[in-house]
Amino acid sequence: MSKSIARMTIDPQYQLADVDPRLFGSFIEHLGRAVYGGIYEPDHPSADEMGFRQDVLDLVRELQVPIVRYPGGNFVSGYRWEDGVGPLASRPAQLDLAWRSLEPNRVGVNEFVEWAKRANSEVMMAVNLGTRGIDEAKQIVEYCNHPGGSYWSDLRKSHGHEQPHGIKVWCLGNEMDGPWQIGHKTAEEYGRIAEEAAKVMKWVDPSIELVACGSSGSKMPTFPDWERIVLEHTYDHVEYISMHSYYGNRENDLATYLAQSLDMDHFIRSVIATCDYVKAKKRSKKTINISFDEWNVWFHSNEADKQVAPWQVGPPLLEDVYTVEDALVVGCLLITLLRHADRVKMACLAQLVNVIAPIMTENGGVSWKQTIYYPFLHASRYGRGKVMHCSLQSPKYDCKEFTDVPLVESVAVWNQDIGELTIFAVNRSQDGGIELECDIRGFAQASVIEHTVLVHSDLKAANTKEEPQEVIPQHAQGAKVDGGLLFAPLPKLSWNVIRLRV
């Protein structure tokens, strides 16, 4: 039986785009135990003086997350940000209708900005365009970013924050196309309010960047007309349009599940085409880029969530336990985002702690890394630099939803500052290992630093409180450079990171 081979060519002359570090962003919503019991637990042994769990902060800092979206999500469409500032004793508890929970407002914008600083991250702030509108959007920008001398900026100062927060990126609402959204709107309705909110927000602070709401997913009946109509209103006022997509394996069809990144790829291409259609229609020289600010695997917890009693603070919602196969899918999705780095400038793994998250915690106890932590960690650490135009020839397969699925999904990133070329690759084959042969003759002095692999004999294996290191990366043997060619064995059903000194 002949050995399966995938061949790739990487040449230093063929570069796609610089990776915006914000491609490795994440998301904290007031949902489940993301905030209360996740990042914030004042009674925890590791909590600092503000109540933030240091064990969680350590794990977040290890991921090197440059930007975190906040406070939602569906939550933001019913949120009064004023309830979360000022003295704790005067903050009202409110019903969160989006997730049928009780919001105590112990953490608000000021606390989260401080948490983000401690996490070495920036904040991507969302405004409520569901139950609220233009004036409230203006007010929160003034509160956060204006130096002083006005009512809202002086209110911030009175709350102990003399210097403005300087939040750079703002989202104009969340998933306003969805009937589940508080204040759901048609594309015309949303486009008008987003345009007017964007104008006044930038009048308060012209330096900010704005994200308009795109479709909640490619299966929405209004996609892609939603993007067209919204951008016809907002094109001159925003820098990005958002994309959201989640994937799952409800039918336990591994071949189809591992191919879901092809859906993401098609979705991105469709949104790019729509953005560029509006650009052409407007005779504009401006290019709208993408903020893929919700993406992940999400399906494990769907049934359990139906049993959770409503109106709790920090209920256990969306607590997916991720497996090896989920980590492979997340790896493929990361590769897809990198391959579109010329237009996808920001992305947020949704979410960061406890809620469909790479990091899990026990209230009052330990924290641990889920399987999906590792591909995200590797991409964030080693995926900085220039994405290369790679020519890849791989064996293919067909499955229920897709045809011509490459058995090997791969991308390469060249970090010239530190002299490294990193190849990320997923072997989707259920039959055996595949040899990756990579022509790197343009990198004459290339040598292998390391080959890291995430692989396990049980695709349903997961990391838990009891077994937190059941699935961890391993050092692989056999990768070598010979005669301008890299040879690297990719084990069956594996995530691979091959780092080269160049």
Side-chain angles (χ1 to χ4, degrees), residues 164-193:
H165 295 320
I167 296 173
K168 177 78 170 175
V169 181
W170 296 77
C171 300
L172 298 167
N174 173 75
E175 294 186 354
M176 301 308 299
D177 62 327
W180 59 84
Q181 200 69 210
I182 302 169
H184 161 62
K185 292 172 174 58
T186 66
E188 286 286 353
E189 290 168 340
Y190 170 71
R192 287 292 298 122
I193 194 171

Side-chain angles (χ1 to χ4, degrees), residues 83-94:
D83 293 341
V85 298
L88 286 176
S90 64
R91 297 185 191 181
Q94 300 280 16

Side-chain angles (χ1 to χ4, degrees), residues 228-298:
R228 174 187 63 81
I229 295 167
V230 167
L231 285 175
E232 284 174 352
H233 287 289
T234 62
Y235 201 94
D236 294 334
H237 305 286
V238 304
E239 284 69 40
Y240 308 93
I241 192 155
S242 71
M243 295 180 65
H244 293 177
S245 200
Y246 295 98
Y247 298 98
N249 189 18
R250 291 174 179 83
E251 297 182 7
N252 200 27
D253 177 354
L254 182 61
T256 299
Y257 185 40
L258 292 175
Q260 291 302 312
S261 59
L262 276 67
D263 176 85
M264 176 188 261
D265 180 81
H266 180 71
F267 189 15
I268 292 171
R269 292 179 188 277
S270 299
V271 172
I272 290 171
T274 308
C275 291
D276 290 348
Y277 164 76
V278 179
K279 177 180 181 178
K281 185 177 180 181
K282 287 182 169 287
R283 276 67 171 170
S284 177
K285 294 182 179 179
K286 174 183 177 181
T287 297
I288 296 292
N289 287 316
I290 290 168
S291 174
F292 211 128
D293 47 40
E294 287 188 35
W295 69 271
N296 203 350
V297 167
W298 175 18

Side-chain angles (χ1 to χ4, degrees), residues 11 59 75 98 144 163 228 250 282 377 428 437 439:
D11 190 287
L59 293 175
F75 172 82
C144 290
Q163 297 302 314
R228 174 187 63 81
R250 291 174 179 83
K282 287 182 169 287
L377 170 71
R428 293 186 173 108
E437 291 186 7
D439 186 334

Side-chain angles (χ1 to χ4, degrees), residues 49-180:
E49 80 285 359
M50 290 192 70
F52 299 133
R53 285 184 60 154
Q54 292 301 296
D55 59 336
V56 172
L57 272 169
D58 287 343
L59 293 175
V60 173
R61 284 190 288 257
E62 188 179 346
L63 287 173
Q64 300 178 21
V65 178
I67 194 165
V68 182
R69 186 165 169 251
Y70 176 85
N74 296 345
F75 172 82
V76 79
S77 293
Y79 182 51
R80 287 175 43 87
W81 67 269
E82 307 95 312
D83 293 341
V85 298
L88 286 176
S90 64
R91 297 185 191 181
Q94 300 280 16
L95 296 183
D96 166 29
L97 302 184
W99 300 106
R100 291 175 58 80
S101 302
L102 187 64
E103 173 52 56
N105 284 303
R106 304 295 90 183
V107 172
V109 60
N110 293 321
E111 288 83 11
F112 191 75
V113 166
E114 182 57 39
W115 179 85
K117 288 178 183 175
R118 297 177 188 203
N120 300 326
S121 189
E122 301 288 335
V123 177
M124 178 192 293
M125 189 76 189
V127 300
N128 176 357
L129 292 183
T131 60
R132 312 190 84 183
I134 300 164
D135 204 32
E136 293 88 353
K138 175 195 80 73
Q139 290 164 1
I140 189 173
V141 176
E142 182 182 328
Y143 181 90
C144 290
N145 286 11
H146 194 66
S150 67
Y151 173 79
W152 293 104
S153 59
D154 286 347
L155 183 64
R156 180 198 71 243
K157 290 185 174 187
S158 76
H159 293 156
H161 301 272
E162 179 69 22
Q163 297 302 314
H165 295 320
I167 296 173
K168 177 78 170 175
V169 181
W170 296 77
C171 300
L172 298 167
N174 173 75
E175 294 186 354
M176 301 308 299
D177 62 327
W180 59 84

Side-chain angles (χ1 to χ4, degrees), residues 341-395:
D342 56 330
R343 296 298 291 273
V344 180
K345 297 301 180 180
M346 298 189 291
C348 299
L349 176 68
Q351 294 189 19
L352 186 55
V353 184
N354 286 331
V355 173
I356 47 174
I359 298 168
M360 291 299 296
T361 73
E362 177 187 43
N363 288 354
V366 298
S367 55
W368 63 96
K369 303 171 182 178
Q370 295 231 60
T371 60
I372 66 169
Y373 186 97
Y374 296 106
F376 188 79
L377 170 71
H378 296 148
S380 178
R381 276 190 178 176
Y382 306 123
R384 315 286 177 111
K386 294 182 181 296
V387 177
M388 309 303 290
H389 271 297
C390 300
S391 171
L392 175 65
Q393 292 84 42
S394 165

